[in-house]
């Protein structure tokens, strides 16, 4: 099937111009471009302000002088270049498979395989327990405590409980993949709409109630739910005891805030997550549509983030918000669970049913997002199997249910194993940003690919709508690729040199190293086996001479 | 025996040239093009006194020399479009109602195909390398006679061709599409067409089905679900099977050794339907890349010994 830009109508003439610039005859696949609204929803759910954003905001105390507001804006401006670079790749080579296809085509099969399987498959094993952990702190724990089920809540905060939730999350993601995207895409839209209603409800609450009301509510509800007295005051004391001093709130501290950028990549680096496009007739309108979808989704997330930060500073008090998080991560919190901002906001209304409803509605941000966990992995596994790098059986689909059983096993089993490590070895939980780093490396290679695209594939580049967008005669896509490389190299430097990010320690580096070695070993072994079978994997991307 | 199978080049001249070179490149004994040979788009090159004007990818080019025009016409051809030189008056007269656009399309298509077949003559060493080309649902019927007349390319629609002990059975029709294309028919008619061709195969264990439509729900037929305005639903993330049930039934009933398909460009893949190895190499003709399958067949055992999908 094909996509045709909005500027051209089926059957003939370019809209809005007097003379036709091309003619189409009736033929398969001449379809209209996908809607920008859909693209915005996907990008916004991928850079999920609730599940990823506010979870990562809680780590502000690890960069004590950094300003979240400043860092969010710096990050978003910088990630906007990634959006341009990826738009260039999508419009030039609009293929499902994304990074795998682009890197294989531009840089060669081995490069494409190693960086696609690490970034879009292996590291997703670690994302599985992270998703589980977010489900735990944003839904299970606050819900059970609110309902008075303290015993169950305590179980889910134990090692066994954490593991159980991870397995539930993996099973849920696997189940959704096995159902296919058709039903889930509808679920996603409803989840987005419901999640936005929940978000707006919280905005109204935070606008309507004063800081004084919040202090009183925290003390009342924390006592009712957790049996804690004077939760507001003791939280401030707890932070002081660990020598943490919350920063003031504002749009300042540029230098220190730069150090928060590598942390915020955990949620802002993914506007391109669902970026596939099907097209044969591509023009400038497609570039604009793809760009607008991802860019608007990213900046919608930024808008929601800024609103949330401003209102938390107003109603919670910036010092309390940061103190509560700092004390929690130091294990010295008065409130015994993660101070989930939606839960804190719901306490402004002293009604258990209302609080439960808010938690459930806000959980739609999670359920609209969890299904994407393994979706890209299946595609990469299938692509690698079709390229004969993985055994043919990796791409088999069950006859009756159409479930990609082998690829699901290749994702689920390692994810369960890694979840066990995550649940029972607490130190491993600090390697959360490894999950971002490995994907960022994949992005780095794709950004490099887009930078050299005009030289590596000049005909493809010349034919691409991406080559038409220039500033002062310079094509913006390769320049955006360079800026993206700058963003990722900066982040890599910080992740690998600053222990605040929990990445640059022995076991973490060994873990990531194993992923890359595993990918290389799989490729080399596959090549040797296939050679013995008389199949030359080197042929896959070798170009047939034209003349 | 080694065969190279590609499909859905949709008028891309660079892909046609690569197809002709594929036998030498992959050391194939036979090359097969599975259908949808012709392009979908015609780009007018407006001839004015002393200048030319053409718009490509939204960018309008004002050209002066014949060399400049030839250069851009080559770019147009390599993308699978047909350049059509017209005067402003001719351009103004082209319209859908009187069929003049369709007539001009046919003229350009046939002219291009003639030129392509001339190239084949030299590249395939005057027929020394067997080359089989079939129509697909997007190909008009005018191409049949043009290809039939070629001395070195065999048009295979509805035929069974013997290839060193194997039997290539071809059928280019597809089940109905939303675009009401040329060679599409209801499933019952497709089944009849398949029966007519399959009946000619003497040994099903050595049969190769070359049916343009992929089998329904095989993983080789997944296309973005479209709404009633032909816009991909849910951001193009939702795929649905659009292949032919008649093709699937035929494969399951007859269990040929191999079955090759096209039609759904983004559904590149390989699967087994019963004992039959079934594949769709997909198509990215707009990128100037010829996707295909290199397949080794064992004449003695009558089976596929190895295969690889390539991005030539």
């Amino acid at each position: 099937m094909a996509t045709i830009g909005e500027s051209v109508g089926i059957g003939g003439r370019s809209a809005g111009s007097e003379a036709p610039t091309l003619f189409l005859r009736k033929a398969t696949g001449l379809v209209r471009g996908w809607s920008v609204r859909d693209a915005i929803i996907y990008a916004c759910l991928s850079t999920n302000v609730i599940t990823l954003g506010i979870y990562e905001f809680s780590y502000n105390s690890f960069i004590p002088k950094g300003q979240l507001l400043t860092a969010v804006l710096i990050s978003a401006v910088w990630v906007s270049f990634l959006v341009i670079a990826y738009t260039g790749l999508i419009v030039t080579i609009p293929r499902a498979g994304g990074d795998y296809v682009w890197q294989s085509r531009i840089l060669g099969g081995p490069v494409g395989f190693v960086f696609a399987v690490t970034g879009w498959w292996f590291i997703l094993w670690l994302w599985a327990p992270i998703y589980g952990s977010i489900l735990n702190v944003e839904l299970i724990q606050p819900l059970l405590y609110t309902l008075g089920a303290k015993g169950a809540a305590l179980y889910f905060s134990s090692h066994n409980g954490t593991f159980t939730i991870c397995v539930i999350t993996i099973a849920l993601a696997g189940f959704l993949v096995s159902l296919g995207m058709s039903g889930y895409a509808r679920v996603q839209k409803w989840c987005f709409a419901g999640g936005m209603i929940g978000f707006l409800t919280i905005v109204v609450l935070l606008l309507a109630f004063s800081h004084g009301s919040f202090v009183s509510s925290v003390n009342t509800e924390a006592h009712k739910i957790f049996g804690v007295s004077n939760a507001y005051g003791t939280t401030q004391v707890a932070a002081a005891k660990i020598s943490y001093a919350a920063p003031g709130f504002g749009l300042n501290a540029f230098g220190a805030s730069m150090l928060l950028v590598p942390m915020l990549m955990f949620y802002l680096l993914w506007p391109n997550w669902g970026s596939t496009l099907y097209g044969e007739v591509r023009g400038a309108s497609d570039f604009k549509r793809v760009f607008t979808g991802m860019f608007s989704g990213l900046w919608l997330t930024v808008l929601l983030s800024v609103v949330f930060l401003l209102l938390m500073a107003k109603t919670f008090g910036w010092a309390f918000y940061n103190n509560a998080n700092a004390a929690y991560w130091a294990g010295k919190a008065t409130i015994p669970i993660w101070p989930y901002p939606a839960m804190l906001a719901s306490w402004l209304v002293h009604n258990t049913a209302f609080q439960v409803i808010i938690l459930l509605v806000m959980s739609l941000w999670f359920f609209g997002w969890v299904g994407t966990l393994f979706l890209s992995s299946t595609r990469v596994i299938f692509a690698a199997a079709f390229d004969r790098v993985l055994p043919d059986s990796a791409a088999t689909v069950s006859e009756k249910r159409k479930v990609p059983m082998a690829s699901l096993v290749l994702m689920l089993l390692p994810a369960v194993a890694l979840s066990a490590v995550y649940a029972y070895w607490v130190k491993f939980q600090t390697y959360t940003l490894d999950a971002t780093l490995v994907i960022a490396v994949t992005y780095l290679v794709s950004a490099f690919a887009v930078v050299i695209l005009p030289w590596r594939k000049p005909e493809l580049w010349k034919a691409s709508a991406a080559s038409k967008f220039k500033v002062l005669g310079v094509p913006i896509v390769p320049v955006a690729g360079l800026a993206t490389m700058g963003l990722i190299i900066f982040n890599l430097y910080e992740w690998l040199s600053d222990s605040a990010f929990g990445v640059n320690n022995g076991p973490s580096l060994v873990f990531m190293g194993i992923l890359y070695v595993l990918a290389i070993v799989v490729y080399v072994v596959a090549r040797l086996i296939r050679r013995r079978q008389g199949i030359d994997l080197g042929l896959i991307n070798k170009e047939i001479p034209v003349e | 025996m080694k065969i190279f199978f590609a499909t859905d080049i949709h008028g891309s001249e660079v892909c046609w040239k690569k197809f002709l070179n594929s036998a030498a490149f992959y050391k194939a004994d036979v090359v097969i093009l599975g259908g949808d040979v012709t392009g979908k788009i015609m780009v007018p090159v407006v001839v004015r006194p002393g200048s030319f004007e053409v718009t490509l990818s939204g960018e309008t080019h004002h050209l002066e020399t014949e060399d400049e025009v030839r250069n851009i016409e080559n770019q147009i051809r390599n993308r699978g479009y047909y350049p059509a030189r017209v005067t402003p008056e001719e351009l103004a007269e082209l319209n859908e109602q009187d069929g003049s656009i369709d007539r001009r399309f046919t003229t350009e298509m046939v002219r291009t195909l003639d030129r392509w077949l001339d190239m084949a003559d030299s590249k395939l060493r005057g027929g020394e390398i067997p080359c089989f080309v079939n129509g697909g649902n997007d190909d008009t019927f005018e191409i049949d006679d043009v290809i039939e007349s070629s001395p070195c390319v065999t048009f295979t629609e509805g035929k069974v061709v013997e290839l060193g002990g194997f039997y290539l059975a071809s059928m280019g029709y597809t089940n109905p599409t939303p675009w009401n294309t040329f060679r599409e028919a209801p499933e019952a008619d497709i089944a009849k067409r398949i029966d007519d061709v399959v009946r000619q195969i003497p040994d099903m264990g050595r049969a190769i089905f070359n049916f343009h439509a992929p089998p329904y729900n095989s993983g080789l037929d997944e296309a973005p679900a479209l709404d009633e305005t032909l816009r991909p639903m849910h951001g193009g993330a939702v795929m649905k099977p659009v292949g032919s049930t008649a093709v699937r039934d035929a494969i399951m009933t007859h269990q040929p050794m191999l079955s090759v398909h096209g039609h759904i460009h983004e559904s590149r893949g390989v699967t087994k339907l019963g004992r039959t190895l079934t594949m769709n190499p997909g198509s990215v003709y707009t990128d100037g890349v010829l996707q295909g399958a290199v397949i080794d067949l064992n004449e003695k055992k009558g089976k596929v010994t190895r295969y690889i999908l390539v991005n030539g």
Side-chain angles (χ1 to χ4, degrees), chain A residues 384-406:
Chain A
F386 295 150
D387 280 354
R388 313 303 303 275
V389 181
L390 294 177
D392 305 353
S393 55
T396 51
V397 175
S398 74
E399 275 285 314
K400 280 188 183 169
R401 298 280 318 279
K402 297 294 158 201
V403 177
M405 288 308 297

Side-chain angles (χ1 to χ4, degrees), chain A residues 62-73:
Chain A
F62 288 81
I63 311 288
K65 292 183 179 166
Q67 272 294 350
L68 277 173
L69 190 61
T70 314
V72 166
L73 293 174

Side-chain angles (χ1 to χ4, degrees), chain A residues 1-3 31-39 41-42 180-189 274 276-278 289 375 379, chain B residues 178-179 223-242:
Chain A
M1 299 277 174
T3 305
V31 303
R32 302 174 71 202
W34 61 323
S35 86
V36 171
R37 190 193 59 179
D38 282 352
I41 291 175
Y42 288 125
M181 269 303 284
S182 181
Y184 186 60
R186 285 189 198 93
V187 171
Q188 269 192 318
K189 281 187 188 173
T276 51
L277 179 77
Y278 304 91
R289 183 184 296 113
L375 200 65
R379 286 181 177 170
Chain B
W179 297 274
L226 302 177
D227 65 15
E228 62 283 358
T229 66
L230 299 179
R231 192 188 283 283
M233 295 165 72
H234 309 297
V238 176
M239 311 291 276
K240 70 170 194 176
V242 295

